Amino acid sequence: MRDQGDSCDCLTKLFTIPKSYLASEFLVANCIVENRDDYKEKYMLAGGALGEDISQIPMSSICRRFAHRWRGLRSDSGIPTLQTYLTNPDPTLQPNTILIDVISSSLLRVRLFATGLVSMGGIDLTGSNLLDFADSADTATEMWKTTHLITDHPCALLSTKLASTASGRHVSIQEISFPVLPFQGSPPCLVSGISLIKALDFRDTVFRVVSYTEARWIDIGYGIPDHVVDISAPIEE
């Protein structure tokens, strides 16, 4: 797994906040976690309820194992810390992991885009703005809304997204996303497990996220948002 830190030590590198993250965009967006204890206290208000039984929710094998892994790392706040997540990697899920810093409605910074996703999608998004890969302004807005709610509510989201490739083909991507408690001085963060429902040709890269074709909020102990994810019908090949 690769992070954007500048330290030469592997573990320290994973924990280092990128220098670009300390820029004024954080202060303007007002999303930075100034006091980690306050943020943690917000997550403890629900009393550590486990939420709904994910075993009854249909999903891919990767997403199911990813969900069980996240639950196994839950802390006394009810939410695993980013540090715990990074220091206890699961080698079987690590290649399908993406970490996203939720900075503002115009910036979802990819903190980590694992090697398996690079191989599947043909592109490394580490350090990029995920919203730049939305096919339209409406899709970008929906991506921001759902991502923000995952960390702010908090809750989990199981979704299927339609993506277009460089050659114009469409592929479906299933993703399950959970909040993690960030480092102090860092923005809210989420971790996702991603699986491609249909494999790509190695010469064809994922180019744009077109729309959500399925979405389901998952209660992790704090209820679910009122927001209804904007769903579009899948495009027939």
Side-chain angles (χ1 to χ4, degrees), residues 153-233:
H153 187 82
C155 58
L157 179 69
L158 175 67
S159 64
T160 302
K161 296 175 182 175
L162 189 69
S164 62
T165 69
S167 69
R169 292 195 307 126
H170 290 91
V171 293
S172 290
I173 301 168
Q174 188 172 77
E175 178 177 355
I176 191 163
S177 304
F178 293 91
V180 288
L181 193 65
F183 301 112
Q184 185 158 327
S186 293
C189 185
L190 65 81
V191 59
S192 298
I194 297 177
S195 60
L196 276 177
I197 295 176
K198 182 178 180 181
L200 286 174
D201 184 284
F202 74 95
R203 293 162 296 186
D204 203 6
T205 61
V206 171
F207 187 63
R208 289 283 187 268
V209 176
V210 177
S211 64
Y212 289 83
T213 57
E214 294 180 60
R216 185 194 195 285
W217 295 114
I218 299 176
D219 181 3
I220 58 173
Y222 311 90
I224 60 174
D226 294 329
H227 176 70
V228 177
V229 181
D230 185 16
I231 301 296
S232 300

Side-chain angles (χ1 to χ4, degrees), residues 24-41:
S24 60
E25 60 188 352
F26 272 2
L27 302 179
V28 173
N30 198 30
C31 282
I32 194 167
V33 179
E34 296 286 1
N35 190 316
R36 187 168 173 266
D37 290 335
D38 289 346
Y39 198 68
K40 181 176 177 181
E41 183 178 0

Side-chain angles (χ1 to χ4, degrees), residues 51-223:
E52 61 186 295
D53 181 5
I54 59 173
S55 67
Q56 304 303 312
I57 304 173
M59 65 183 76
S60 69
S61 172
I62 287 176
C63 288
R64 187 172 304 283
R65 289 188 291 116
F66 197 90
H68 283 297
R69 179 62 178 164
W70 180 88
R71 290 204 167 193
L73 295 174
R74 294 188 80 158
S75 63
D76 57 353
S77 70
I79 305 293
T81 65
L82 177 56
Q83 180 170 347
T84 298
Y85 200 91
L86 292 173
T87 53
N88 294 274
D90 182 333
T92 66
L93 297 174
Q94 189 173 329
N96 294 76
T97 299
I98 180 172
L99 285 169
I100 299 172
D101 287 325
V102 184
I103 298 173
S104 73
S105 59
S106 61
L107 181 56
L108 298 178
R109 185 71 57 80
V110 180
R111 175 182 280 263
L112 180 147
F113 198 71
T115 54
L117 299 179
V118 174
S119 298
M120 284 194 299
I123 186 171
D124 187 357
L125 301 184
T126 302
S128 63
N129 182 1
L130 193 62
L131 296 177
D132 289 342
F133 294 86
D135 191 57
S136 67
D138 287 344
T139 300
T141 297
E142 195 59 50
M143 288 170 64
W144 155 252
K145 286 180 180 177
T146 57
T147 304
H148 172 67
L149 283 169
I150 289 166
T151 57
D152 187 67
H153 187 82
C155 58
L157 179 69
L158 175 67
S159 64
T160 302
K161 296 175 182 175
L162 189 69
S164 62
T165 69
S167 69
R169 292 195 307 126
H170 290 91
V171 293
S172 290
I173 301 168
Q174 188 172 77
E175 178 177 355
I176 191 163
S177 304
F178 293 91
V180 288
L181 193 65
F183 301 112
Q184 185 158 327
S186 293
C189 185
L190 65 81
V191 59
S192 298
I194 297 177
S195 60
L196 276 177
I197 295 176
K198 182 178 180 181
L200 286 174
D201 184 284
F202 74 95
R203 293 162 296 186
D204 203 6
T205 61
V206 171
F207 187 63
R208 289 283 187 268
V209 176
V210 177
S211 64
Y212 289 83
T213 57
E214 294 180 60
R216 185 194 195 285
W217 295 114
I218 299 176
D219 181 3
I220 58 173
Y222 311 90

